[in-house]
Every structure is written in structure tokens, then in C-alpha cells.
Amino acid sequence: MNQNLQQQTQSLPQLKDNENSQIKIGDVTLKSCVMLAPMAGITDLPYRQLIRRFSSNSLLTTEMISSEMLMQNRKDGNKILENLENEFPLSYQISGHKPHMMATAAKKLMDLERKPSIIDINMGCPVRKVVCGGDGSALMRTPQIACDIVKAVKDAVDIPVTVKFRLGYTVSEINFKEFASLMQESGADAMTIHCRTRSQMYSGVADWQAIAGIKKYISVPVYANGDITSPQKAKECLEITGVDGIAIGRGTLGSPDLIHRIEHYLLTGELIEEADIQTKIKWAKEHIDAEVALRGEKNAIPFMRKFYPYYIKGVQNAAATRGTLMSATDYKTIIDELDKISQMF
Ligand SMILES: Cc1cc2nc3c(=O)[nH]c(=O)nc-3n(C[C@H](O)[C@H](O)[C@H](O)COP(=O)(O)O)c2cc1C
């Protein structure tokens, strides 16, 4: 740890012990209060493996899996369902708006060789195509259907069921308080709240303050989510909201060790320095290799493009490099370019 970071650490209040870090969701005990937030097209098996390498206790989450796709037994669904033993505790997130279909989808997941630890229900996705079908955050406008989904999924499986939603649909429809109570009454074992409305999509700043006080009336674990990008922000978010845990999404891009660094900081008050560029490039290469192994080179090369800007963030004059990485169509060009950057430092 460098001198600067050490000084910052000493001026911050220290946690007494790890009393705040255990969370019980139904009969699943988590030894960490930090979880990976689900991200479609991101939190696949290779990505979760990268996170797990650093954090052995955090709750990991799959990408959103459409209940309709699960019903159709589509071939492209197989990859999204794959898991490895070391990933557990692992939550599978499903989406949809038909209670019976969601229940059947959840049951199907129970047939996996290694069944989920938890089923999470997506009630927060803001994407137009999703909400137009009545799924994702559209469910915040149809709370009765949302309740029926939770009850149906609870009846269908014998593992904990959680929900993830937003503050409301629009700023004039903020209903997370009533919604959270309804979810709890319907049997939800925990909930994650992305502190934005649907109409904000991902813009503006997540309003952690909005959910402060929620633990006065919600007894199941609550996770705060949105804009937690550093150990200090994680602590600040927990302090402001007073909730049980935090879910981290985009902050992990290019920083698969972030959840570990947060966990360490919450437990010890010590900051672990962010990785240098060589290390990040090493992670990027390992990520590519794992995606090639999962999807084959043809699919993995375009799939990986969204990740490069994060792995090479902070590289001076990175435009040309980024251009090469984004346009490359073969594995060797990408690895050579990454090696070139690594050697510059
Ligand atoms: C690319 C991308 C994909 C996402 N996919 C999902 C998803 O499948 N299910 C879900 O509940 N939320 C999804 N989210 C939302 C995140 O889980 C999280 O709520 C949001 O990004 C705010 O948290 P953050 O600031 O830590 O990223 C997605 C977000 C991004 C950026």
C-alpha cells in the first residue's frame, strides 16, 4: 500500500469486526455483504470466474435469463446457464411477466446439475423492448402482477427468491417503498434496489439517500445498488442507506478485483491499491481466453469489444489502441496490441 493510501485509511473510521458483513437470505448464509449485480452480456461464466478469483464469498449473479427463452429450450440458452462449482453462492436472475411461466422457468433451473443458490426476479430492466412486453421495470407499474410472480416462483422452488427493482418508473411514480413492502409480503427473501427510476435508465446519479430508512419497515435483507465504484463509495453508500448489503455492477468492469477490495476495506479499513495497467492487461487476456473457450473465437472477438475501454482506461493516447482492439477480427492482433500497451509501461 502506498503512503498516500495509508494516510487516507487512517483518517477513516474502522469497522469493529465483520459483524456487518454476514447476510442471511432465506436459508442461505452469505459471508459477504457485497454482491455482483447482474449485467446482461457481461456477467457470464468467464466474467464471474474473474470476480470469484478475488472474492470467494460474494454472491455472484448470472445475466438476466428470459423465462420465455427457458421455455423454448433454445440452444443459445445453454451457455447462459452454465456454472462451475466455485461460483457458489450463485443467484440466477430470470425475467418475464407471466407468473406461471416464471414459475416454470424457475423450476427448470432447479434441474441444472448444480442448481442455483437463489432465484432473482428482474423488475428493474429499463430497456424499451423489455418494458414494452411488460417485463423488467414495467412490473413496478403492475404491482399485483409483480406480487403474483413472487408468490408463484416461491411456490415452485425450495430456494430463496429475491427481487431487483428501481425507485419507480418515472420521477412522478416513485413507489419503491410500497413496492418493497409488497415484495416482502409476497415472500421475497431479499431485494436489491437500483437507486434510479426507469426513465433515468443509467443517467444521472444514483440517489442512495432515497432509500435511507427503508430498514425501518423491511426486515428481509436489502441491497443498495448504483454508482458504487470504489471501497470508499461502498462504505458511504452503506452508511447513507443503512441497508444490509451492496450490489456492484459497472464498477467491476476492468476491475474484477473491486468487490474484493471493497470487502477488504469494509472489514479492515485498509485500502488495497488499484491494479496497474500490466495487471489489467493480463486480466483482459485471461478474459479473452476464457470467452474463446466458451464461445469460440468467431463469437468471442466481437463479444469482448465492450470490455477493452475499461481494461485500458488511463492509458495515455489510447485512441489508436482502442481503435485497433475494436476493429480487430482475429485473436493474435488483439493479444499483440495488448502486449504492446503492456510493454509501454
Ligand atoms: C450492460 C448492462 C447490463 C445490465 N443487465 C442487467 C440485467 O440483466 N439484470 C438486472 O437486473 N440489471 C441489469 N443491469 C443493471 C445493473 O445490475 C445495475 O443495476 C446498474 O448498472 C447500476 O449499478 P452500477 O452503477 O453498479 O452499475 C445492467 C446494467 C448494465 C450496464
Side-chain angles (χ1 to χ4, degrees):
M1 201 190 299
N2 71 26
Q3 195 61 32
N4 222 354
L5 289 177
Q6 224 156 13
Q7 278 164 1
Q8 285 178 33
T9 304
Q10 280 159 3
S11 64
L12 283 160
Q14 306 281 303
L15 286 184
K16 274 181 275 155
D17 52 30
N18 66 354
E19 67 196 17
N20 292 328
S21 62
Q22 280 215 357
I23 294 189
K24 211 162 177 328
I25 299 183
D27 57 5
V28 173
T29 300
L30 301 164
K31 292 188 202 147
S32 165
C33 67
V34 191
M35 70 175 275
L36 174 67
M39 289 185 285
I42 309 272
T43 55
D44 63 356
L45 177 63
Y47 197 83
R48 298 192 304 265
Q49 285 293 311
L50 266 177
I51 306 279
R52 182 57 90 222
R53 188 188 300 175
F54 303 100
S55 160
S56 45
N57 294 325
S58 57
L59 175 63
L60 300 184
T61 320
T62 65
E63 321 170 53
M64 165 172 90
I65 305 164
S66 142
S67 52
E68 223 160 291
M69 187 212 72
L70 271 170
M71 295 300 88
Q72 293 163 358
N73 283 323
R74 287 211 327 244
K75 264 205 184 137
D76 56 345
N78 297 344
K79 299 238 174 296
I80 216 171
L81 299 181
E82 278 182 32
N83 67 50
L84 287 174
E85 206 168 337
N86 70 347
E87 292 188 71
F88 289 78
L90 174 63
S91 170
Y92 273 66
Q93 190 189 59
I94 54 173
S95 64
H97 65 280
K98 293 187 180 144
H100 69 279
M101 216 184 227
M102 293 289 273
T104 315
K107 264 193 197 147
K108 278 207 154 198
L109 293 174
M110 301 305 282
D111 293 337
L112 289 173
E113 191 187 329
R114 282 179 290 269
K115 64 177 192 175
S117 318
I118 290 169
I119 301 272
D120 186 47
I121 301 172
N122 184 316
M123 301 191 184
C125 181
V127 173
R128 181 177 292 275
K129 204 173 79 184
V130 172
V131 295
C132 285
D135 302 356
S137 54
L139 288 165
M140 294 200 76
R141 278 181 160 170
T142 53
Q144 188 52 56
I145 297 177
C147 292
D148 292 345
I149 290 173
V150 173
K151 287 179 193 157
V153 176
K154 282 284 288 185
D155 283 348
V157 297
D158 60 357
I159 56 171
V161 174
T162 61
V163 285
K164 181 165 178 277
F165 52 91
R166 290 185 173 232
L167 296 180
Y169 201 86
T170 63
V171 71
S172 56
E173 295 167 279
I174 303 267
N175 62 345
F176 71 93
K177 287 183 188 165
E178 304 88 302
F179 200 80
S181 297
L182 286 171
M183 294 300 100
Q184 176 165 277
E185 281 162 28
S186 303
D189 294 294
M191 53 192 80
T192 300
I193 307 177
H194 178 184
C195 301
R196 286 189 174 83
T197 61
R198 183 267 162 179
S199 48
Q200 280 182 291
M201 306 292 282
Y202 295 98
S203 67
V205 180
D207 184 1
W208 300 334
Q209 190 64 50
I211 65 165
I214 193 166
K215 287 304 291 184
K216 285 189 198 129
Y217 54 95
I218 298 295
S219 56
V220 297
V222 177
Y223 286 79
N225 169 241
D227 296 351
I228 302 168
T229 50
S230 68
Q232 296 96 322
K233 282 197 175 176
K235 190 169 194 301
E236 189 189 343
C237 177
L238 281 168
E239 284 170 354
I240 289 176
T241 60
V243 299
D244 306 272
I246 42 178
I248 320 287
R250 292 166 295 175
T252 62
L253 290 163
S255 296
D257 63 335
L258 176 64
I259 289 183
H260 165 68
R261 288 192 281 118
I262 290 174
E263 289 171 331
H264 185 81
Y265 181 62
L266 293 177
L267 284 176
T268 65
E270 286 170 15
L271 285 166
I272 298 171
E273 213 173 331
E274 221 187 308
D276 58 22
I277 191 72
Q278 275 102 346
T279 307
K280 290 197 172 192
I281 284 177
K282 183 170 130 307
W283 293 338
K285 285 162 65 178
E286 287 163 357
H287 192 173
I288 299 166
D289 285 345
E291 292 294 353
V292 169
L294 181 75
R295 302 167 193 275
E297 186 174 332
K298 190 167 161 270
N299 294 324
I301 300 294
F303 178 84
M304 278 300 297
R305 284 181 189 141
K306 64 191 116 174
F307 295 102
Y308 298 132
Y310 298 98
Y311 283 119
I312 64 167
K313 200 170 148 197
V315 170
Q316 299 273 308
N317 306 318
T321 295
R322 223 176 4 246
T324 307
L325 293 171
M326 297 307 232
S327 59
T329 52
D330 69 289
Y331 176 83
K332 188 173 177 308
T333 307
I334 292 167
I335 299 297
D336 286 351
E337 190 64 22
L338 289 172
D339 284 340
K340 214 163 79 187
I341 310 170
S342 196
Q343 282 153 17
M344 277 160 44
F345 291 88

